[in-house]
């Protein structure tokens, strides 16, 4: 083995985990969230787009980010003490970056993308977002 091969293997493992998270975890949760959001905040309500965005950014965004940290900690075989340290060190700064990156995309998603395509749109963005998150976990 050369010096670079383990690093490539680790990157492949992280990419595989990211794909699995999107496909098995965030995809189904997002699907039902968007359906719920469509019923709970119908387009006929005043400021419906802003309400949807705020619900997503202030409730779902932080919750999904926390779940990401928990799932990654579990998949890495780390203990709760390590999770707590990672959360203290990275959660707030990562959440602020989440708001910066995701807010424009989610505004478009919840206001202009048909409900049947919202998960696909979000997952395209999520692929790159999870890559960023994986890099913050080092």
């Amino acid at each position: 083995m050369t010096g670079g091969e383990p690093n490539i293997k680790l990157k492949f493992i992280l990419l595989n985990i990211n794909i699995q998270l999107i496909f098995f975890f965030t995809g189904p949760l997002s699907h039902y969230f968007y359906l719920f959001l469509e019923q709970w905040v119908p387009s006929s309500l005043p400021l419906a787009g802003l309400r949807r965005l705020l619900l997503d950014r202030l409730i779902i965004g932080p919750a999904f980010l926390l779940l990401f940290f928990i799932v990654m900690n579990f998949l890495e075989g780390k203990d709760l003490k390590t999770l707590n340290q990672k959360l203290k060190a990275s959660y707030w700064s990562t959440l602020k970056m989440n708001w910066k990156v995701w807010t424009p995309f989610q505004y478009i998603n919840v206001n202009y993308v048909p409900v049947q395509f919202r998960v696909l749109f979000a997952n395209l963005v999520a692929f790159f977002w999870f890559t960023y998150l994986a890099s913050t976990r080092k």
Side-chain angles (χ1 to χ4, degrees), residues 8-102:
I8 291 171
K9 185 175 181 179
L10 177 62
K11 287 180 181 180
F12 179 75
I13 290 169
L14 288 173
L15 176 64
N16 188 20
I17 290 170
N18 289 338
I19 291 169
Q20 288 180 33
L21 279 172
I22 291 169
F23 188 74
F24 293 110
F25 185 70
T26 60
L29 286 176
S30 296
H31 170 76
Y32 290 108
F33 168 70
Y34 291 129
L35 290 177
F36 170 77
L37 195 61
E38 199 65 24
Q39 290 181 351
W40 202 42
V41 185
S43 299
S44 60
L45 287 178
L47 302 172
L50 181 60
R51 290 179 186 195
R52 290 177 185 169
L53 182 66
L54 288 173
L55 282 170
D56 177 76
R57 300 291 64 228
L58 298 176
I59 296 172
I60 300 303
F64 266 41
L65 183 60
L66 179 61
L67 286 172
F68 174 84
F69 274 87
I70 293 169
V71 168
M72 288 299 291
N73 194 71
F74 171 74
L75 292 173
E76 292 171 353
K78 306 288 172 98
D79 59 11
L80 289 176
K81 182 179 177 183
T82 303
L83 173 63
N84 192 33
Q85 291 169 343
K86 285 285 187 183
L87 288 171
K88 285 181 181 179
S90 301
Y91 182 80
W92 178 241
S93 62
T94 307
L95 180 60
K96 289 188 290 187
M97 182 59 75
N98 176 292
W99 286 334
K100 290 176 188 175
V101 170
W102 275 95

